[in-house]
């Protein structure tokens, strides 16, 4: 395999492994939020923010933990036939399924970029132009100029009325990392088909 492919795999795998090990502790964050929710309902006045924040924490845990799960091979797999196959046949099947996963993640990434633009107040059909204008405004005029590009910020329809852009940005970042990790897995599958290891 070319050197750039090995470097790509090493960097993406290393980053997702490190992030995944940090995100593992998100389980304790969710537990703390839900524990406070139970305590506040029992002993105090119920908090409006707990349920929605627990949902946001769960999404963060799931989406940012996905690349780590993909790297570790911890995702659900149908082993009825797969377990008995040779390493070469497994590499062929993995390369086909990872290629399909890359297509699916590309669709998810585009959808999340569109949804994030909507949450930042863009209601048009060209989200990439919105992001370009936002970056140009921020670079040339700072935060004040960027705030002029941003429209009416989307909020949830709950009593808490949380802003939606932070969780949508996290989802976009997670889908991007998962796409990078899927490409890394494809490179490793191709290397295995060639009789190499990365």
């Amino acid at each position: 395999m070319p050197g750039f492919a090995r470097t790509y795999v090493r960097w993406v795998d290393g980053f997702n492994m490190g992030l995944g090990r940090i995100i593992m502790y998100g389980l304790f964050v969710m537990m703390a939020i839900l524990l406070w929710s139970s305590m506040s309902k029992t002993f105090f006045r119920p908090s409006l923010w707990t349920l929605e924040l627990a949902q946001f924490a769960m999404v963060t845990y799931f989406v940012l933990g996905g690349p780590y799960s993909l790297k570790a091979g911890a995702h659900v797999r149908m082993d009825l036939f797969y377990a008995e196959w040779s390493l070469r046949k497994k590499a062929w099947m993995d390369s086909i399924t990872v290629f399909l996963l890359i297509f699916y993640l590309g669709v998810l990434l585009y959808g999340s970029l569109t949804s994030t633009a909507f949450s930042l107040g863009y209601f048009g059909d060209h989200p990439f132009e919105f992001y370009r204008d936002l970056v140009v405004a921020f670079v040339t005029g700072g935060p004040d100029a960027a705030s002029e590009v941003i429209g009416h910020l989307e909020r949830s329809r709950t009593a808490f009325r949380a802003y939606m852009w932070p969780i949508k940005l996290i989802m976009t970042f997670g889908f991007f990392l998962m796409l990078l990790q899927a490409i890394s897995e494809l490179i490793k599958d191709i290397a295995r088909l060639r009789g190499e290891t990365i």
Side-chain angles (χ1 to χ4, degrees):
M1 292 301 289
F4 72 88
R6 291 178 182 276
T7 303
Y8 175 85
V9 168
R10 187 172 59 249
W11 279 93
V12 169
D13 285 6
F15 182 81
N16 285 332
M17 196 70 138
L19 180 64
R21 289 178 187 244
I22 293 168
I23 292 298
M24 279 189 221
Y25 296 104
L27 185 64
F28 297 112
V29 172
M30 285 185 292
M31 289 170 55
I33 292 168
L34 293 174
L35 180 64
W36 173 254
S37 176
S38 298
M39 288 175 41
S40 69
K41 287 177 184 171
T42 305
F43 301 112
F44 312 111
R45 207 171 95 199
S47 301
L48 295 176
W49 56 268
T50 54
L51 179 62
E52 196 158 10
L53 197 61
Q55 291 171 344
F56 287 174
M58 180 63 186
V59 168
T60 303
Y61 178 76
F62 180 77
V63 170
L64 294 183
Y68 174 79
S69 178
L70 188 61
K71 155 74 177 93
H75 51 281
V76 176
R77 182 180 299 198
M78 182 64 177
D79 281 343
L80 183 63
F81 303 109
Y82 185 88
E84 300 298 322
W85 289 347
S86 67
L87 291 176
R88 185 167 179 78
K89 193 170 183 181
K90 285 179 183 179
W92 270 110
M93 184 54 69
D94 287 346
S95 63
I96 292 168
T97 56
V98 166
F99 185 73
L100 295 173
L101 177 64
I102 289 170
F103 174 76
Y104 178 67
L105 288 171
V107 172
L108 281 179
L109 182 60
Y110 179 77
S112 67
L113 283 166
T114 303
S115 184
T116 303
F118 178 82
S119 70
L120 291 172
Y122 177 74
F123 305 113
D125 295 332
H126 307 288
F128 294 107
E129 291 178 14
F130 166 74
Y131 289 119
R132 184 196 64 214
D133 294 344
L134 185 62
V135 169
V136 167
F138 183 78
V139 169
T140 58
D144 291 334
S147 67
E148 292 179 15
V149 176
I150 295 174
H152 179 72
L153 297 177
E154 179 187 16
R155 297 182 83 137
S156 66
R157 295 180 180 168
T158 62
F160 183 51
R161 305 268 302 142
Y163 287 108
M164 296 301 292
W165 70 265
I167 194 64
K168 289 186 177 186
L169 191 63
I170 288 170
M171 289 175 63
T172 301
F173 183 61
F175 291 147
F176 177 69
L177 290 179
M178 206 172 303
L179 180 63
L180 294 180
Q181 186 61 49
I183 293 169
S184 172
E185 296 302 313
L186 180 62
I187 291 170
K188 289 186 269 189
D189 290 334
I190 292 170
R192 275 195 291 274
L193 285 172
R194 296 174 60 177
E196 302 175 28
T197 56
I198 295 181

